[in-house]
Amino acid sequence: VGMVMYNAETMEIAKPSELLASVRAYMNVLQTVEHYVNIDMTRIFNNCLLQQTQAIDSHGEKTIAALYNTWYSDVLLRKVSGGNIVFSMNQRAFVSITPEGCIPFNPEEFSDFNELRSLAELIGPYGIKLINEQLMWHIANQVQELKRMVGMNKETLIILRSNFDKPEIMKDHFKRLQHVDNVLQRMTIIGVILSFRQLLQEALLDVLEQRIPFLVSSMKDFQNHVPGGDPLKTVSEMASAAGLSCKVDPTLLNALRAQKPEIDEGEHLTVLLLMVFVAVSIPKLAKNDQSFYRATYEAHTNNTHCLALAVNNIFGALFTICGQNDLEDRMAEFLALASSSLLRLGQETEKENIKNRESIYLLLHQIVQESPFLTMDLLESCFPYALIRNAFHAVYKQEQSGI
């Protein structure tokens, strides 16, 4: 634990790859000692390193897993929410977009694939599960706040849902919505957390595929051919613990379910109205200067692109919890609402409101691309693909010209 070099005051910590190299060097030295002293070093390593995957060790002290859990959730992800760090889709890491020195550490040095793979090697599936549970706790708290804001706007959202094909009524009632920016910000935070979790899962899967390839391939096969559709979600939980992706995230499902064990009749309507709230609010992002899509990073400057992951995961989990088996229909409704709201941006005359319109068109494309429930055919029926193609052209051209 001393090799982690965690400093709570300055929020500094050793890079996982450096720690892994130190641990390996330490182990090599001790294994050399084993030749001269009759000690079973392998058993000591197994016992010691297994304890480091839990929240506390046998002495009640914080472990490697606990320290990295604290650092990633309280330092890295907080800094991302504060701006200047984006989740780059093509680099598969969190990247700083400010000059060096503005942030006390380089986020890419802690969040790229090699670093997270080293972390997964150090703390194993148990340690990754610990971090995942902490991340899901943060998401569940954000969802609770989102539901509270839905309650404040209930009547307006019901009207918006039933009049999505009437532009004048939509425009008038959208102005009455409260906390629109707050909802978008919270959904973006959820998206950022889920993006980090996705990177962690990919790193863990890579480690396990090298360590236990036959077991991982059996899990994949079992996941793809489970009889009866896995009603108890046991196969999904096993697959998720090994880093495999699932249509509906079981860890997220459990975190949201734990928050409200009893599902009342109004829960489905609340989730439905939250979906409407997010769908009709997306066009407002076009106003924001920071919503510009940076083709170099395949990312919006304010991490708006992370909304795609948030929309698919949160609504996937919430509608599954409601148990009405209408998930695909509701996601199609979300697409229709978001598409019609974005198409109205084309008729907007005020330049201030459509500053980054093309960048937000790309968000809709990404939501469909990342969704296990929506198809490009469905998108084409709601939103002309020519607009998305032109949007890609426009943002790439704009970035090259340095505007």
Side-chain angles (χ1 to χ4, degrees):
V1 176
M3 287 191 278
V4 178
M5 295 187 291
Y6 178 64
N7 187 327
E9 289 174 14
T10 59
M11 291 300 181
E12 290 174 348
I13 200 164
K15 283 158 61 174
S17 59
E18 289 174 358
L19 177 61
L20 183 63
S22 302
V23 168
R24 279 181 175 157
Y26 202 70
M27 287 167 77
N28 287 339
V29 170
L30 291 176
Q31 276 173 325
T32 309
V33 172
E34 190 179 25
H35 296 310
Y36 304 99
V37 182
N38 190 21
I39 299 173
D40 187 351
M41 283 297 174
T42 306
R43 183 178 290 181
I44 291 171
F45 290 150
N46 287 342
N47 186 17
C48 179
L49 289 172
L50 193 59
Q51 282 188 37
Q52 295 304 314
T53 67
Q54 305 301 310
I56 51 171
D57 62 17
S58 55
H59 303 292
E61 299 290 323
K62 282 193 170 184
T63 59
I64 291 174
L67 293 174
Y68 276 108
N69 183 6
T70 303
W71 192 86
Y72 277 105
S73 56
D74 293 352
V75 180
L76 178 71
L77 293 175
R78 284 245 171 102
K79 286 268 186 256
V80 176
S81 303
N84 303 326
I85 299 174
V86 297
F87 171 60
S88 171
M89 298 285 286
N90 54 4
Q91 294 183 33
R92 303 302 293 158
F94 286 93
V95 179
S96 172
I97 52 171
T98 53
E100 272 192 45
C102 294
I103 299 167
F105 59 90
N106 281 339
E108 50 267 54
E109 288 184 4
F110 289 88
S111 63
D112 73 1
F113 185 75
N114 287 336
E115 294 301 331
L116 294 180
R117 197 187 180 287
S118 299
L119 182 68
E121 278 201 63
L122 283 163
I123 64 176
Y126 283 126
I128 297 292
K129 186 171 184 280
L130 184 73
I131 295 177
N132 281 336
E133 283 170 357
Q134 175 76 357
L135 297 176
M136 293 306 154
W137 178 81
H138 284 296
I139 290 174
N141 287 344
Q142 295 289 353
V143 170
Q144 200 63 28
E145 281 301 306
L146 287 167
K147 286 181 182 176
R148 193 175 61 79
M149 282 180 255
V150 166
M152 294 177 189
N153 294 283
K154 195 172 180 178
E155 288 75 19
T156 311
L157 289 167
I158 290 170
I159 294 166
L160 285 168
R161 186 191 174 206
S162 53
N163 292 287
F164 77 94
D165 54 347
K166 295 168 186 160
E168 289 307 313
I169 296 175
M170 290 291 283
K171 195 173 180 181
D172 183 45
H173 280 81
F174 180 71
K175 288 174 185 171
R176 298 181 195 178
L177 282 179
Q178 299 173 309
H179 309 296
V180 174
D181 290 332
N182 201 336
V183 165
L184 289 169
Q185 190 182 6
R186 287 182 187 279
M187 283 297 284
T188 305
I189 289 168
I190 290 171
V192 165
I193 294 171
L194 288 169
S195 299
F196 177 67
R197 168 171 158 71
Q198 197 179 56
L199 294 179
L200 265 182
Q201 293 289 88
E202 286 170 8
L204 173 64
L205 181 61
D206 192 68
V207 170
L208 295 182
E209 278 179 334
Q210 278 206 333
R211 292 268 183 90
I212 45 169
F214 298 113
L215 194 54
V216 171
S217 63
S218 300
M219 279 188 220
K220 284 180 181 175
D221 192 49
F222 198 36
Q223 186 189 18
N224 293 331
H225 304 100
V226 59
D230 191 23
L232 299 174
K233 297 282 177 274
T234 44
V235 175
S236 295
E237 285 191 26
M238 174 189 71
S240 179
L244 295 165
S245 61
C246 305
K247 260 190 173 184
V248 177
D249 191 329
T251 318
L252 180 59
L253 209 59
N254 292 339
L256 294 172
R257 203 173 261 147
Q259 208 174 44
K260 198 170 184 182
E262 294 297 316
I263 300 297
D264 52 45
E265 287 178 15
E267 183 66 11
H268 187 260
L269 179 63
T270 302
V271 175
L272 202 54
L273 294 180
L274 175 58
M275 180 196 78
V276 173
F277 206 156
V278 175
V280 299
S281 301
I282 285 174
K284 198 173 181 190
L285 290 163
K287 257 178 140 175
N288 191 333
D289 287 333
Q290 297 298 308
S291 293
F292 179 64
Y293 184 84
R294 289 174 171 242
T296 321
Y297 300 112
E298 285 187 22
H300 292 80
T301 311
N302 57 359
N303 285 308
T304 291
H305 58 293
C306 294
L307 269 170
L309 211 52
V311 164
N312 287 311
N313 279 272
I314 291 296
F315 294 126
L318 288 172
F319 283 118
T320 302
I321 289 169
C322 290
Q324 298 208 6
N325 295 323
D326 60 348
L327 175 52
E328 293 195 7
D329 294 339
R330 296 288 72 81
M331 290 306 291
E333 185 182 344
F334 172 88
L335 186 61
L337 278 162
S339 300
S340 62
S341 301
L342 281 170
L343 285 170
R344 278 195 296 280
L345 280 180
Q347 299 158 353
E348 190 67 61
T349 49
E350 286 183 44
K351 277 195 173 178
E352 189 66 27
N353 292 342
I354 54 168
K355 238 184 258 179
N356 286 309
R357 181 177 60 193
E358 283 74 20
S359 294
I360 301 307
Y361 284 170
L362 299 186
L363 172 63
L364 189 68
H365 177 254
Q366 198 181 342
I367 288 172
V368 175
Q369 222 175 15
E370 291 191 11
S371 174
F373 317 107
L374 301 170
T375 62
M376 295 308 280
D377 288 347
L378 196 59
L379 175 64
E380 183 67 53
S381 68
C382 302
F383 196 86
Y385 195 79
L387 283 177
I388 290 169
R389 194 169 54 242
N390 292 341
F392 270 113
H393 181 71
V395 294
Y396 274 77
K397 196 176 173 186
Q398 201 175 341
E399 191 178 42
Q400 280 172 357
S401 58
I403 295 172

